Amino acid sequence: MASPPTSLVFKVHRREPELITPAKPTPREFKFLSDIDDQEGLRFHIPVIQFYARKPSMRGKDPVKIIREALAKTLVFYYPFAGRLREGPNRKLLVECTGEGILFIEAEAEVTLEQFGDKLQPPFPCWDELLFDVPGSSGVLDCPLLLIQVTRLRCGGFIFALRLNHTMSDAPGLVQFMAAVGEMARGAREPSVPAVWERHVLNASIPPRVTCTHREYEEVPDTKGTIIPLDDMAHRSFFFGPKEISALKGLVPPQLSDCSTFELLTACLWRCRTIALQPDPTEEMRIICIVNAREKFNPPLPRGYYGNGFAFPVAVATAGDLAKNPLGFALELVKKAKGDVTEEYMRSVASLMVIRGRPHFTVVRAYLVSDLRRAGFEEVDFGWGNALYGGAAKGGVGAIPGVASFYIPFTNNKGENGIVVPFCLPAPAMEIFEKELDKLLKDPPPTGHAPSKFIVSSL
């Protein structure tokens, strides 16, 4: 599988950024975010990218014009996105629904989809040109909550890139909004799924009560400077197909064989990443699993709710224990952390936010994974069909770059369905990480699965 040409450079011509406002008058009011939304760990912008191929039946139709008009219509239903965030007492976030609008950029690139190579996966060449950071737009407060750039390509395809203020929505919430834009672009008069605010359903109890253990919010001193450095970072993507997952399953003891692919992959990456970073063996390492809690509620969160509905449960182990024990050790810890998330757990997190002033989750010696395989980014259809690639634009985003990875659905050029994981590590650690992954897959596991080789792309 060929990597995208690392030398691919192209020019992007952008028009001046504009503000898109709702197509009809919308309420002027203040709307509070939930106590899950406004925690410190979500106060950043998250980038998403979608690639669309030329479609003969859409010949002569301009994706920029169609999407611009669809956004204005969709903002009538999702009007808080056209407002601005303000901060009240106790750092409580609220949206002032001003109708000012979202930022939009029209662009053209002197490149075709084919030039990106035979697999579209992060990291993408000229990323900063495909989603231009408009000066003064990337603050959390008093700034546009969405930035969207639509770039026409020479082949007739286009790229839709978006940046979201994460306090407003999680992946399911964002996909719901994007799908609504797609429906409006295809002629709908209103979204098929209603836009539901109802953020009070994820607020702390009165009085707030913390009833669960939340090691993800522990205050851990960074005694040895082990928060990842930002310079000399290597960005790679790793593909895990049926062979790779099967090989990893062969390393798991029978009592853990009912594990999910997410749990297995997370345990593997946590262990290999820890070895790659070479911390002191006594240092505690953390794996934070993003767990969608929408279905954990009774009754479930309202259909159409587009706020943040997930938790950051954490597993903790010393670097030495992770390195010297087989994969099953890490896997058991991941399974337990994931299983901790219940409705009570979410209510407990909301209360912790209120009591402790909305702290950031612990990033010291931490690694965070988010599973986007079922989010549905690639199914967003503006009239040109499904995206060839849809989802996270890069790994390592967030308040501390280098800490996060996303699991993105991907089909390779052999037609194998699998998962692509963008990864971000200091360059020397990345080399060790690749060797550790290869070692896990090359040593034939007890079940006799054929060894495999990881496919890597890099920029």
Side-chain angles (χ1 to χ4, degrees):
M1 187 188 271
S3 296
T6 53
S7 58
L8 180 60
V9 177
F10 49 87
K11 277 207 170 106
V12 177
H13 304 282
R14 285 184 305 273
R15 298 266 177 101
E16 282 297 306
E18 58 187 293
L19 283 168
I20 295 184
T21 56
K24 295 178 186 167
T26 53
R28 296 290 186 265
E29 59 189 355
F30 288 92
K31 293 179 100 64
F32 284 95
L33 268 60
S34 81
D35 289 324
I36 297 294
D37 290 325
D38 61 10
Q39 54 186 299
E40 185 64 37
L42 295 180
R43 295 182 184 211
F44 71 96
H45 293 263
I46 190 151
V48 165
I49 192 164
Q50 312 273 114
F51 287 79
Y52 292 92
R54 180 179 70 86
K55 187 177 177 186
S57 64
M58 297 297 280
R59 189 173 176 181
K61 298 200 171 161
D62 178 13
V64 171
K65 180 174 182 289
I66 286 173
I67 291 170
R68 184 195 277 120
E69 288 173 5
L71 282 165
K73 291 174 185 169
T74 308
L75 286 173
V76 173
F77 302 92
Y78 287 86
Y79 64 90
F81 275 135
R84 300 293 181 264
L85 273 191
R86 317 290 188 214
E87 192 174 59
N90 190 26
R91 305 185 69 227
K92 182 77 203 153
L93 290 183
L94 61 160
V95 183
E96 184 177 355
C97 299
T98 60
E100 284 173 79
I102 63 173
L103 263 179
F104 183 82
I105 302 169
E106 173 181 346
E108 291 184 14
E110 296 178 11
V111 70
T112 64
L113 269 175
E114 290 71 26
Q115 286 175 271
F116 280 87
D118 59 6
K119 58 175 179 175
L120 286 166
Q121 62 185 46
F124 296 104
C126 300
W127 159 247
D128 294 339
E129 296 291 311
L130 295 170
L131 186 63
F132 178 64
D133 181 9
V134 178
S137 72
S138 57
V140 172
L141 302 176
D142 312 318
C143 284
L145 298 169
L146 280 165
L147 164 67
I148 291 170
Q149 179 173 327
V150 180
T151 306
R152 302 182 196 92
L153 303 176
R154 277 169 49 192
C155 55
F158 66 95
I159 295 171
F160 175 97
L162 172 150
R163 192 184 70 194
L164 164 76
N165 184 319
H166 204 332
T167 61
M168 288 292 288
S169 298
D170 56 12
L174 175 58
V175 169
Q176 181 184 307
F177 169 77
M178 288 167 62
V181 177
E183 288 176 335
M184 305 304 253
R186 301 195 314 273
R189 294 193 170 178
E190 60 183 45
S192 60
V193 176
V196 173
W197 185 259
E198 303 285 308
R199 304 289 169 113
H200 63 273
V201 301
L202 282 178
N203 277 350
S205 56
I206 302 173
R209 286 193 323 276
V210 177
T211 57
C212 301
T213 303
H214 298 288
R215 295 202 65 187
E216 63 270 34
Y217 298 105
E218 283 178 339
E219 291 179 34
V220 179
D222 187 22
T223 48
K224 301 188 180 168
T226 44
I227 287 181
I228 297 224
L230 304 188
D231 47 350
D232 192 29
M233 295 296 268
H235 292 259
R236 305 270 163 87
S237 280
F238 296 87
F239 176 72
F240 295 83
K243 283 199 308 261
E244 288 81 11
I245 298 300
S246 180
L248 290 177
K249 277 209 162 149
L251 300 169
V252 170
Q255 69 272 24
L256 292 173
S257 61
D258 64 339
C259 66
S260 67
T261 298
F262 171 85
E263 291 160 349
L264 181 66
L265 195 48
T266 300
C268 160
L269 295 176
W270 182 29
R271 183 177 182 273
C272 292
R273 185 180 180 277
T274 298
I275 293 167
L277 287 170
Q278 300 181 309
D280 182 306
T282 62
E283 293 270 37
E284 280 192 334
M285 306 300 287
R286 293 162 170 266
I287 180 73
I288 300 167
C289 307
I290 297 242
V291 172
N292 183 348
R294 286 161 183 263
E295 299 304 317
K296 310 275 186 185
F297 289 83
N298 187 15
L301 295 185
R303 178 172 179 261
Y305 183 84
Y306 62 101
N308 290 284
F310 66 88
F312 292 105
V314 69
V316 184
T318 67
D321 281 347
L322 282 170
K324 74 179 183 228
N325 279 300
L327 188 59
F329 173 78
L331 178 56
E332 210 155 1
L333 294 172
V334 167
K335 275 175 79 75
K336 183 187 178 309
K338 200 174 139 210
D340 284 343
V341 179
T342 59
E343 179 171 352
E344 185 189 355
Y345 189 94
M346 294 298 286
R347 306 249 173 247
S348 180
V349 169
S351 290
L352 182 144
M353 289 299 137
V354 171
I355 291 167
R356 287 190 35 203
R358 314 188 188 284
H360 199 295
F361 57 83
T362 307
V363 293
V364 177
R365 296 180 297 282
Y367 171 50
L368 182 149
V369 292
S370 178
D371 188 355
L372 299 180
R373 287 175 299 157
R374 293 178 191 88
F377 282 105
E378 70 287 353
E379 291 163 20
V380 171
D381 178 2
F382 300 109
W384 279 261
N386 283 9
L388 299 177
Y389 171 92
K394 55 185 179 177
V397 297
I400 311 290
V403 166
S405 280
F406 301 97
Y407 297 173
I408 300 162
F410 190 77
T411 304
N412 68 9
N413 60 356
K414 295 179 192 162
E416 294 176 322
N417 291 323
I419 305 165
V420 75
V421 185
F423 223 82
C424 182
L425 277 174
M430 186 63 87
E431 284 184 38
I432 304 169
F433 178 78
E434 283 190 50
K435 283 180 188 148
E436 282 301 316
L437 275 180
D438 261 356
K439 202 162 41 170
L440 269 186
L441 294 171
K442 276 181 171 172
D443 294 339
T447 48
H449 290 301
S452 181
K453 172 81 179 158
F454 271 91
I455 298 160
V456 181
S457 75
S458 63
L459 261 167

